[in-house]
Each structure stands twice: as C-alpha cells, then as structure tokens.
Amino acid sequence: MNQLENKISFQDRIKSFFGEKGSAALGLIILFVFMTFMSDRFLTFSNLLNVARQASINGIIAVGMTYIIITKGIDLSAGALVALTGTVAAGLIVNMGLPIIVAIILTLVVGSLVGAFTGVMVSKQNIPPFIVTLALMTILRGLSFVYTSGRPIYVSNELFRVIGRGYIGPIPIPVIIAIFIGVIGHIVLKKTKFGRHIYSVGGNEEAARLCGVNIDKTLIYVYTSAGFLTAISGIILASRLSTGSPNAGDGAELDAIAAVILGGTSFAGGIGSVSGTFIGVAIIGILGNGLNLLNVSSYNQMMVKGLVILLAVLVNNIKLKKKNISR
Amino acid sequence: MDNEILRLEGLSKHFPGVKALDNISFDLIEGEIHALIGENGAGKSTLIKVLTGAYQKTDGKIFYRGTEVKNLSPTKSKNLGISAIYQELTLFPELTVSQNIFMGNERVYNKSNLVNDKEMTDEVRKIFKKIKLNISPDTLIKNLSIAQQQMIEIARAISLDADILIMDEPTSSISNKETEILFEIIEDLKNQGVTIIYISHRLEEIFEIANRVTVLRNGKNIKTLEINEIKDKDQLVNLMVGKEVTDLFPKKEVEIGETILEVKNLSYQDKFKNISFNLKKGEILGVGGLVGSQRTEVMETLFGLRKFDDGEIILKGNSVKISNAQNAIDFGLGLISEDRKATGIIKTMSVKENITLPGLDLIDRKFNVLIDNKAEEIATKSLVERLQVKTPSLKQKIDKLSGGNQQKAIIARWILLAPEILIMDEPTRGIDVGAKSEIYELMGELAKKGISIIMISSENPELLAMSDRIMVMREGEISGFLEGEKQTEENILKLAFGGVVN
C-alpha cells in the first residue's frame, strides 16, 4: 500500500508539474536558449538584471491577478490603478509635502480600498468582475487625470527614487520586492486557510459554501490584496520614472493576465499557481527584451507577444484534449 | 420477434492500464427492453459511449441489422437511430423547453436559416401530449424541477425518432409517480417498435419493465437472462458483485439517548409550513416523501442555507439562530448534499483537500498560519483508511474516484469535524451495491458513537432498513411519523401520497 502510494504520487507530481505549468517552463527554457544563441548581449548579468527589473512590476500585479483568476474573476482596472496610485504617491509627496513613508502607506491604503470596493461589488452585489473592473478602469484612469490636471507630477526626492532605482548589492530593489511578494504569495496560496478557500471558491462555490467557507469574505480579501499589490507596483513605477503620470500603467493589466495564463492558471477557476505565473512573467519579460535586442520594431513586438499567448493556450488545449481522450 | 437489431461480438475497449470492456458479446432484439446492470465501473457507461460513438472500440465487431458497422462515430450512430439519455442532464438552462428539444435539429422555413418557432412548439405539444407532460414549450429550463428536466430529455430523444434508445438511470432523480409515467412511456415506445437499453441501480424497476437483463462485472459480460429466468433480486445482486451479499443493510442496534434537536413550527412562504420534529442522540431519522415535498429545503434551512419566516430551532435546550453554514458547523451540524457533483465535491482539489476543507481549523498550523502538511496527511490518511476510500493517493484529484469513493470522502470530510448531527441527503444515490453497503455500515457506526443522523432518501428499502423513525413529508408539510411495526413501504407511500396511516 505504502509503496504504491509513493510510486503514484511521484507520477502525479510529474504529471501535475507538466500538466499545469510544464509547457510554460519548457517554453521559457526554449526561449532562453534561443535568445542565448541569437544575441551575445542576452546572456549577460547586467542584461538579465535589466529584464528582471522590468518584469518586477508585472510580477507584483500578476500575483494578485493569479488569485483573482483562480476565483474565476478578472481585473481589468489594474493598469489604471497603477496610474492612480503612482500619481497619488507623487502628489502626496510633492503637493502635500508628506514624509515618504506616510505617503507610501496612504497610497497602499488607496489601492487596497479600490480593491475592496471591487470585491464588494463582485461578492455582495453579484456584479461580474469583468464589468466592475471595466467600469473602474475608466473611472480610475479619469480620476488620475483629474487629480493631476493631466500633467505628470515630477518627484525630485532622492529617497523616493531609491525604491525604483536603488540596488541592494547588485540586485535592483524592485526585483527584491517582487521576489519577496512572489514567495509570500506562493506560501499564502498553498499553505494557508485563506489560500485553500481561494481554490475552493474557484473550484466549486456552492460546495465551498456548504463547507462553511465565507465566499464573500474570501472574494473581498482577494480583490483587496490585488489592489494592495497593484499599489506597490504603482509606487515602484512612479519612483523609477521619478514621476507620477496619469498615463502610466497603460495595458499593465493585459501583461499580468497574459503572464497568469501562460503560467497555467485556468480561466475556469480553481487551478493555478504563483510559481507558474512567475514563469509567465519571465517569458513576457525575456520576450520583450529579446525582441529589442534583435531590433524588432515595437509594432512587430506587439504581434509577436499576442501570438505567443495564443500559441501557449493552443498547446495547453491540445494537451488537455489528449488527456481527456485517454481517460 | 427474433429480429436482431444490434449485435456486439468480442467487443473490447482498453484505456491505458484498464480493460474497461473485455470481450463483450451482446445482442439486442428489436422492440425489447433490455436492462443493463452492474456495479459502478462495471463498464456500462463505456459500453454506451462506444454505442453512441463517443469512444472508439479497441477490438471486436458491431453489427447493425446484420451488417457490420465500422468506425462508429457520433454522427453515424445518430443516423442509425441510436439515441442516449444520460444520467447527467445535458440541457441548456437559459433556453426554452422547445429550443432545447430541437437543439441541433431546428426546424427552419424551407431551407432558409430562419427558425420556425411555431412548428417546433406545435411539435413539442404533440410529444408532450403523448407522454402526458403538462409543461409549456416556452418555459425556460432553469425554471423546471430536476424531474421535469429529466422528462424533457426523454422528450428530446423521442423527437429524434430513435430506433434504439439508451436510458442511463432515468429514474435516479424523479419521484415514484413520475417513474410510473416514465414506465408507461417506455411501454408505449416499445409497442411502437423502439428498442430500449435500460440502465438502473433500482432492481425493482427491472422486474417491472425489462424483457431481458445483461449483467456486467469488471468489463465482462457475466450473463444475459430472460426476465422469467430470474428468481429474485438477490440473484441479480450476487451476479453483480460476484460474492454473496447477505446483509445489504447492516443496521446496528444502538441505544438512543436524550433529545438534542427540536424543530418547532418552521415555516417559509408557501414552500413549507409547521415543520416540527425532534431528534435524539444516536438516532437515525429517515425522511421520506416524493420529489418536491420540500424535504431537502427544510434540512437546508436547518443548516443555515435558507431563510425562514417563522419557527424555532432548539439545540440541546437552547434556542439557536443559524444563519449560514459556518454557524451550523460551529453548532455541530454537518450536511452531505444530494447532488454530489454540483454541491459536494470540489473537483479541482485533491481527496485530501476536499476532506479537510471545513475542518482546516482542526489541523495544526505552523506559526499559527501555515497548514502543517504532515498533520493534514495523518488526519486524512486515518480517515481514508477507516472509511476504505479507494484512492491511489491522497493527492489524487477527487473527480478521478468512483461515485462511491467520492461519497465516502465527503462523509470523511464531516467525520473529521466530529459533528453531533449529520444530515445526509440521498447518501447512496448513484452508488454501486458494494459501496452502498459500506456506507450503511458506516452510518450504523456513527450512530453508535452517539451521532444523530437525518437521512433523506427516496429509496424505501433504505429508509425502512436504516431508520429508527421515519418522517414522511408531503407538499411542504409533515404527513406523519412511522415507528416500529408501522414502518412499512406501504405506509410510507400512503403518507407520501396524502393517505392516512392508522
């Protein structure tokens, strides 16, 4: 009995690895090897750190997006929230003269409140997340323009600029923050009661309700954490650019969603992982960097990115089909 | 009569590592009702899927009216007049009855793309008249009961003018009265020359309607019998399980204690009213009644899933307010729902995660937050072993298990919480004989430990064998309690149909 158990659980482990994020990992490896051969500027420490720094903002948003998509939700307002929180942070520092730490805390509160609002609309009011966040996308973007009167707010404060531009040792601070959030995000999802509840709500809401899972609370927490994480990204971006711009974060939600999908999280809910999402984030980051190194024009880059996402989903579908037939 | 319509010779279907069908030979005579029985996993569903073209056979031959059919695809199968009604409903809830019946087969104005709604609704009315169904063709499916939906499935198969109709557990979710109507329809269809393959776990039904019975076990054809060759149910059960099942309902004698639950005058709108009953420690209270008698709704109300207007719930002498499932769990209640797939299992999660979901607070945590994997595994492993849940590993996704093992895992989920009252809604629905017997035994053990069980069931033999007391409901009211010698199938039916028991 015990032997059998070990044997099969080993097989399961391989299967689950290749099932959910295996193709993403494979894709990442292929991409990596391909780029190494195509450009001698790719595999250098400074270039890879550069990729990591650029990907860190997407990575942080994508952790929250993973939670949301596991619950069968979606967040289209993330990019607009990046703009709002970036401008709010800059505004609090420049216009209000608040200390950096206070400004940051208030900005995180703003992000969390926006997330909580989304969560309440989705859970208590039962509005589909697509619609809630579509509305919020324009509202928040508009709000950022109104707040800044349409002009970027320049921040000259050195301490604030450290967040996005500084290093600890050789590693850029945003990368450290992103990795830290990724690890915490992974542990929360896999190891805590809250994480289990997230999976259960996405897997079968009614069954979860019967098991005493508080669906509304779980959803509100999920969207609140996502809002909080997006606010961190907003602050990092504003810091890196030394500017709170109402145009910032345009399309950030799409990059995050793409990373989550590439990482094997299912739109049908109940399945997904932060580790998979980080593989997706890496693919998108390296793809962008690689195409730049190969001098592909930005218009062509857009098409390539889209095709890669489509291809990834196609490969996944073919695998799923095979699995279903063999059963 | 000896007009063979379908014959299978040496049919096999292999999946990696499993012979789902192993050298099956089987023939179907035009106009007969041929019952197909066997435990879950015996190969019934696979056989149907091969016949409807959903699966391709590995080996063997299929003959239709004497000619061999090669590469049987879903379209080919449909063209041969083979049609199946599956156990799980395949209707579109947001569409109307007539849209559902003609889905994929819409009537159009001469070769245009415009659907002819009038022709379709007229046709539906005709079919409904034939099967005595009183539903407007314009009703949305979501507004129908499960039983009514089942009838719509049947109507759809009839509309296709099928020659061979496969019915997979058509009565598992409909009431006795509807079952009678269904049998009349089946009889009618038979007289019109339709051949029927009838699958059911309810052996009584087979004696009532079938001409012949084929028993499958482990993917093999064990025996095909004429109905008059069969002595009794036990003979069939023995063929199915391959071993003697002498004690299908092993009820343990349990000492019944104090009253722990009192429900007083529970009422909700026009759904149910004046529901009053009590439950004692270690008692198994059976709840009988027809589908639609609001049994499930009352128990869901007790579990905090539904609101009520009036009445009182008293637990161990204290009036309590239960407003959601978490409350109910805190008060020591557990509920196993009737629809395992829709509201029981979480199919994306493992057996282990399914079992511990409501009881996560009981599992040790590291630093008070992180679920301790070891502790979780130990807790689930001992339960899985005790309940004999057959799973290759605790990490197996629960939907890969058979229905009986899924149900045992769900029971394990609640045992982990050590409830005082366990509500079990149709605990053995869609479960094979062997697993059923294990679940009954388990219920007996739980009762012996002092857990009180409320068991809703539509299977009268189960109610009679397991219950210390039977409460029968009818149209939202309690029509009576049966105890001791009064517990007979006749009395249950009398109360369920509005009669009086003296």
Side-chain angles (χ1 to χ4, degrees), chain A residues 2 5 8 12 20 187 191-193 196-197 199-200 203-204 206-207 209-213 269-271 326-327, chain B residues 15-16 55 303 305 325-326 329 341-345 348 356-358 360-361 365 370-371 373 376 392 413-414:
Chain A
N2 242 334
E5 208 166 282
I8 292 188
D12 271 2
E20 283 172 25
I187 292 174
K191 292 277 176 189
T192 68
K193 189 171 152 184
R196 281 294 164 79
H197 286 186
Y199 280 117
S200 72
N204 186 343
E206 280 315 306
R209 193 191 312 277
L210 279 181
C211 287
V213 175
I271 292 173
S326 74
R327 261 184 62 195
Chain B
F15 295 115
Y55 286 158
F303 196 68
L305 300 174
Q326 186 61 57
I329 292 170
K341 207 168 159 189
T343 57
I345 62 164
T348 51
T356 55
L357 185 59
L360 282 172
D361 284 337
R365 311 261 181 90
L370 305 182
I371 297 164
N373 260 338
E376 193 184 11
R413 174 191 277 174
W414 295 105

Side-chain angles (χ1 to χ4, degrees), chain B residues 45 50 55 89 94 144 153 192 263 314 342 356 378 469 472:
Chain B
S45 307
V50 171
Y55 286 158
L89 300 169
E94 300 290 340
L144 299 178
E153 289 267 8
Q192 290 161 30
V263 173
I314 300 166
T356 55
I378 292 167
R469 228 163 18 120
V472 183

Side-chain angles (χ1 to χ4, degrees), chain B residues 130-339:
Chain B
K130 201 155 81 183
I131 64 175
K132 302 184 183 73
L133 198 57
N134 193 14
I135 297 171
S136 158
D138 298 322
T139 318
L140 294 182
I141 292 293
K142 65 175 178 188
N143 296 331
L144 299 178
S145 71
I146 291 188
Q148 287 172 318
Q149 292 183 23
Q150 186 84 49
M151 301 302 278
I152 302 297
E153 289 267 8
I154 291 162
R156 176 156 76 180
I158 292 172
S159 80
L160 291 171
D161 288 327
D163 280 343
I164 301 176
L165 189 58
I166 304 168
M167 298 180 148
D168 190 358
E169 296 253 13
T171 58
S172 66
S173 53
I174 66 180
S175 70
N176 293 349
K177 200 178 157 201
E178 285 157 323
T179 304
E180 265 172 45
I181 297 172
L182 177 66
F183 285 175
E184 277 172 32
I185 296 166
I186 291 177
E187 208 58 45
D188 273 357
L189 290 170
K190 180 187 156 183
N191 293 336
Q192 290 161 30
V194 179
T195 313
I196 291 161
I197 299 179
Y198 188 87
I199 296 170
S200 179
H201 280 307
R202 296 185 181 168
L203 302 178
E204 303 86 357
E205 295 179 349
I206 286 162
F207 286 99
E208 204 167 320
I209 58 166
N211 302 107
R212 289 197 299 162
V213 182
T214 290
V215 183
L216 296 183
R217 187 205 312 157
N218 293 331
K220 294 193 180 77
N221 181 351
I222 297 304
K223 210 162 201 176
T224 299
L225 294 160
E226 296 281 339
I227 199 77
N228 49 26
E229 287 179 89
I230 305 167
K231 283 203 307 279
D232 54 8
K233 262 176 16 183
D234 290 348
Q235 188 186 349
L236 288 179
V237 171
N238 288 339
L239 283 173
M240 275 193 283
V241 291
K243 59 178 186 208
E244 299 271 321
V245 177
T246 45
D247 206 2
L248 195 57
F249 304 109
K251 171 79 174 89
K252 288 195 170 62
E253 281 309 312
V254 169
E255 201 168 311
I256 291 173
E258 300 276 284
T259 298
I260 68 162
L261 169 75
E262 269 179 273
V263 173
K264 282 187 180 165
N265 295 318
L266 210 60
S267 305
Y268 177 62
Q269 290 179 358
D270 57 350
K271 290 288 182 188
F272 53 83
K273 61 178 182 217
N274 295 329
I275 303 293
S276 299
F277 65 93
N278 58 39
L279 183 69
K280 298 188 179 73
K281 196 171 162 64
E283 181 182 36
I284 298 181
L285 175 68
V287 184
L290 303 177
V291 170
S293 63
Q294 307 293 322
R295 300 173 294 175
T296 298
E297 287 76 3
V298 168
M299 295 311 157
E300 285 180 352
T301 307
L302 184 58
F303 196 68
L305 300 174
R306 292 166 183 269
K307 289 190 205 104
F308 59 95
D309 308 321
D310 209 5
E312 198 179 10
I313 297 168
I314 300 166
L315 265 176
K316 292 195 239 169
N318 303 316
S319 179
V320 293
K321 192 176 168 293
I322 302 175
S323 46
N324 58 44
Q326 186 61 57
N327 275 177
I329 292 170
D330 291 342
F331 282 121
L333 270 65
L335 181 133
I336 295 169
S337 65
E338 69 179 318
D339 193 340

